[in-house]
Amino acid sequence: MNVDLHCHSTASDGALRPGEVVRCAAAQGVELLALTDHDQLSGLDEAREAAHEVGIAFADGVEISVSWRGVTVHVVGLGVDPRHPGLNAGLERVRSGRIERAREMARQLEHAGISGGFEGAMALTDNPAMVSRTHFARYLAQCGRVAGTKEAFRHYLVPGKPGYVPHRWAQLEDALRWVIDAGGQAVLAHPGRYGLSAAAMDSLLGEFSAGGGCAIEVVTGSHSPDQYALFGALAMEHGLAASRGSDFHGPQEGAELGSLPELDRRLSPVWAGWSA
Ligand code: AMP
Ligand code: MN
Ligand code: MN
Ligand code: MN
């Protein structure tokens, strides 16, 4: 089955409306999709309806921004109840502060000779409260400072480069609790992206499991084929299930929906126990 359990819409930093993401996924052959916007559940109703119309299976999801030992990590919640009060209250807190952060990012870019960053990034949002580094990356590409968003994240917006403003996101144990209390399964997103040592990754996976996390993304648009093998082995070692997700943000902005290889057969898929 073609499963894609990680993607974004205009409810956060994706380029397509929730319904368009679903139609695009169906056209690409995806049979089970989860929409997982950053810290935001507002795209789920439209996406679920579209999934019903086009006849693909759909899971309500979210990708929560977490600060763990000073590193930003992402926790994907799958099968959450979007009306759960605890989850909604938690996410509302995580969402706050993005606009102030964007002003500071724009000030740094101004010092690097790039003007209009705040207005430019805001103009590219559908949901201004969710302004993110992705919108700045698109602005930098739009005004010709970089060839594309990938290049924007090489020269700007990352630690040590202009436009990077650290932020205090949720605590790991809180994010896990919100997902679990809302009836969902917690998945550690793209673990290969955090630049952690083997020892730090071991601690993260230990804390993640102890807090009720049940799976890690093994096949994701952020991993190389070597990392599929590495994180597949770590999932088995830690007794965690495995997930597969493109982390699609828009056409030609990285992996396309449903386009990645299947999980290794030795892994237990996070969706194994789901009913249609
Ligand atoms: P923020 O939540 O504002 O810090 O923005 C994080 C978003 O920026 C991620 O969800 C990705 O969409 C994007 N992003 C971060 N790092 C990279 C990267 N190296 N390449 C491409 N996109 C990135
Ligand atoms: Mn994103
Ligand atoms: Mn992420
Ligand atoms: Mn994502």
Side-chain angles (χ1 to χ4, degrees):
M1 186 164 58
N2 192 335
V3 178
D4 193 330
L5 301 180
H6 188 152
C7 64
H8 298 272
S9 76
T10 49
S12 64
D13 61 351
L16 306 181
R17 301 229 11 117
E20 293 173 319
V21 172
V22 170
R23 282 184 284 277
C24 187
Q28 299 271 111
V30 173
E31 298 163 275
L32 167 60
L33 180 76
L35 179 69
T36 56
D37 275 306
H38 298 288
D39 309 317
Q40 183 64 263
L41 305 164
S42 62
L44 294 173
D45 286 346
E46 180 181 321
R48 198 182 317 107
E49 236 162 80
H52 189 74
E53 275 164 29
V54 300
I56 66 172
F58 181 79
D60 289 312
V62 64
E63 181 176 21
I64 306 178
S65 311
V66 166
S67 298
W68 181 80
R69 298 190 185 172
V71 182
T72 297
V73 305
H74 287 169
V75 171
V76 164
L78 298 174
V80 293
D81 171 6
R83 290 168 308 276
H84 190 271
L87 175 64
N88 278 276
L91 293 180
E92 197 176 319
R93 244 186 303 137
V94 183
R95 284 195 295 270
S96 69
R98 278 190 178 265
I99 292 183
E100 294 72 19
R101 171 180 179 245
R103 286 194 196 283
E104 183 55 33
M105 290 165 70
R107 267 193 289 274
Q108 286 190 16
L109 291 174
E110 191 91 49
H111 284 296
I114 298 160
S115 58
F118 181 76
E119 295 73 18
M122 291 303 271
L124 295 173
T125 64
D126 191 60
N127 180 358
M130 286 307 297
V131 61
S132 78
R133 285 188 284 156
T134 308
H135 301 106
F136 277 89
R138 291 187 186 130
Y139 172 72
L140 290 168
Q142 189 187 61
C143 65
R145 287 298 288 231
V146 293
T149 54
K150 271 254 141 0
E151 193 185 322
F153 281 103
R154 269 199 301 275
H155 302 293
Y156 304 95
L157 310 172
V158 291
K161 306 282 180 178
Y164 180 73
V165 177
H167 199 68
R168 280 280 286 278
W169 307 110
Q171 296 291 302
L172 178 61
E173 54 275 35
D174 291 339
L176 293 170
R177 203 183 57 248
W178 301 334
V179 168
I180 294 162
D181 286 354
Q185 285 170 287
V187 181
L188 183 67
H190 43 62
R193 223 165 83 178
Y194 307 137
L196 299 178
S197 67
M201 182 56 70
D202 200 63
S203 305
L204 174 58
L205 292 177
E207 281 184 39
F208 176 76
S209 300
C214 73
I216 64 177
E217 284 185 349
V218 170
V219 173
T220 135
S222 302
H223 284 174
S224 64
D226 283 356
Q227 288 175 318
Y228 301 160
L230 171 66
F231 289 100
L234 281 178
M236 289 192 272
E237 199 179 298
H238 286 262
L240 291 161
S243 190
R244 172 187 195 248
S246 59
D247 205 357
F248 173 81
H249 281 74
Q252 276 128 50
E253 281 196 24
E256 303 295 336
L257 288 155
S259 67
L260 297 172
E262 296 203 356
L263 287 182
D264 186 303
R265 289 176 179 283
R266 289 167 297 178
L267 297 170
S268 53
V270 66
W271 63 87
W274 297 2
S275 60

